[in-house]
Amino acid sequence: MEKIKLAAEIINKSEFTVVLTGAGVSAESGIPTFRGPDGLWKKYSPHQLATYEAFLKNPNLVWEWYSWRREKIKAAEPNPAHISIARLERIKEKFYLITQNIDGLHKRAGSQKVIEFHGNIWKEKCISCDFKRESYEIYKDELPKCPNCGNLLRPDVVWFGEPIDHDILQISFDLVEEADCVLVVGTSAVVYPFAGLIEFSIKSQKKVIEVNLEPTPFSDLCYISIQGKAGEILPQILNYIVR
Ligand code: BJW
Ligand code: ZN
């Protein structure tokens, strides 16, 4: 309780709040995380599926995984964690959200100042040319092909070994540099360069508040680390936020 009040006090005093989120924020919407006990899909780890090599080797398997996730995401609703973050944006004059999640649930909850660091599951791009499109299809047998060149389309997301879009990376580091308070929610904080945003925030003495079910590599270094469910902790923090 004391930690929750203290976190709210810091956010109240903050002139520029940046929120960083990961899969844990969507867990209470029924979207499985990557590394938790339910985090595996058909016994594959994200490293076996979320790479371009895996896609080239077995595009059917990788598209099956994304189609399965599209179905889950379509059926899901934003939870109190997403809603609290959207409310915070409306209260704080200077605010930004940077999410690793590709599910779009933050936007569906009403967040507008959002950077989707690892892309979006409803976007696809050609593996050969510049073609991109939005799509809500669930692919079962036939995989999507590029209308320009006939090559395979892939999810427009960032896989292991792939660079983050240059502008997104630059803007994200600029935002945390400008922030005085960084709220980190529901990420295992092991995937770089996103985890570098947390590392940078700690090294540059920002007030870093972490909310996670479990400790992360940064928990001991944060200004406040709160252990619990994001969908329960964030609404409690919001109760103390001054409009
Ligand atoms: C709750 C909760 C509840 C649960 N409430 N909490 C430096 C050091 C070492 C390695 C590297 C390094 N720099 C780069 C690397 C390599 C690699 C990397 O980081 N590897 C590490 C894993 C070792 N990084 C990359 O390859 C990146 N690219 C890159 O570096 O490019 C360089 C380059 C430059 C120039 C040319 C070419 C290359 C890209 C990383 C892309 C990651 N992609 C994925 C898939 C995205 C698409 C998709 O979703 O399908 O991103 S992998 C997966 O991990 C996904 C996630 O966004 C990401 C992070 O996971 P997240 O969100 O933290 O989820 P979990 O499951 O790990 O954790 C959930 C947390 O929630 C847990 O802590 C729970 O406790 C908690 N929780 N319920 C609160 N209710
Ligand atoms: Zn093409």
Side-chain angles (χ1 to χ4, degrees):
M1 192 61 182
E2 280 313 307
K3 278 188 179 180
I4 285 169
K5 277 191 187 164
L6 188 58
E9 205 174 297
I10 288 161
I11 297 169
N12 279 330
K13 283 188 192 146
S14 158
E15 290 192 353
F16 191 170
T17 308
V18 167
V19 179
L20 305 176
T21 66
V25 162
S26 294
E28 289 159 77
S29 294
I31 315 283
T33 61
F34 292 91
R35 293 168 187 80
D38 310 319
L40 298 179
W41 177 76
K42 287 192 182 178
K43 299 195 179 73
Y44 295 97
S45 73
H47 276 100
Q48 290 171 293
L49 295 161
T51 70
Y52 187 56
E53 290 69 34
F55 182 76
L56 287 184
K57 201 169 134 199
N58 197 343
N60 283 291
L61 175 73
V62 175
W63 261 121
E64 192 190 342
W65 184 44
Y66 281 93
S67 290
W68 175 77
R69 290 170 65 198
R70 278 185 176 185
E71 278 181 326
K72 285 222 162 255
I73 291 164
K74 206 180 263 181
E77 292 296 334
N79 68 56
H82 299 108
I83 292 163
S84 299
I85 293 168
R87 278 181 59 203
L88 193 59
E89 174 181 332
R90 292 197 290 274
I91 295 168
K92 301 301 289 182
E93 200 179 321
K94 289 190 81 188
F95 175 96
Y96 234 95
L97 164 63
I98 309 171
T99 184
Q100 294 170 93
N101 301 344
I102 62 167
D103 57 32
L105 285 177
H106 281 299
K107 286 185 181 165
R108 279 175 56 194
S111 286
Q112 292 182 342
K113 294 175 179 169
V114 192
I115 290 177
E116 293 180 318
F117 201 79
H118 289 156
N120 187 294
I121 195 163
W122 306 111
K123 290 181 181 161
E124 302 171 349
K125 64 180 179 185
C126 176
I127 60 167
S128 303
C129 74
D130 289 339
F131 180 79
K132 285 188 184 210
R133 74 176 180 197
E134 208 176 87
S135 163
Y136 295 86
E137 289 296 315
I138 304 294
Y139 300 113
K140 289 271 190 279
D141 302 315
E142 209 171 320
L143 297 187
K145 298 272 169 56
C146 175
N148 282 348
C149 73
N151 261 312
L152 274 177
L153 294 179
R154 55 164 280 183
D156 192 0
V157 299
V158 184
W159 285 329
F160 285 114
E162 296 185 325
I164 307 297
D165 173 88
H166 175 270
D167 290 349
I168 285 186
L169 192 62
Q170 184 66 53
I171 293 166
S172 300
F173 272 93
D174 288 350
L175 285 169
V176 289
E177 187 167 20
E178 219 189 309
D180 52 13
C181 168
V182 179
L183 174 61
V184 186
V185 192
T187 175
S188 56
V190 295
V191 173
Y192 282 80
F194 189 89
L197 296 169
I198 307 169
E199 201 169 78
F200 174 79
S201 307
I202 290 169
K203 280 193 182 138
S204 42
Q205 317 254 304
K206 314 283 176 193
K207 295 254 165 34
V208 180
I209 304 164
E210 179 185 65
V211 178
N212 198 306
L213 264 187
E214 287 169 11
T216 74
F218 296 107
S219 299
D220 291 342
L221 303 167
C222 289
Y223 195 76
I224 309 173
S225 177
I226 303 175
Q227 223 166 309
K229 288 187 173 180
E232 292 172 6
I233 304 293
L234 294 189
Q236 289 180 51
I237 294 178
L238 260 288
N239 279 340
Y240 295 104
I241 298 294
V242 183
R243 254 143 260 271

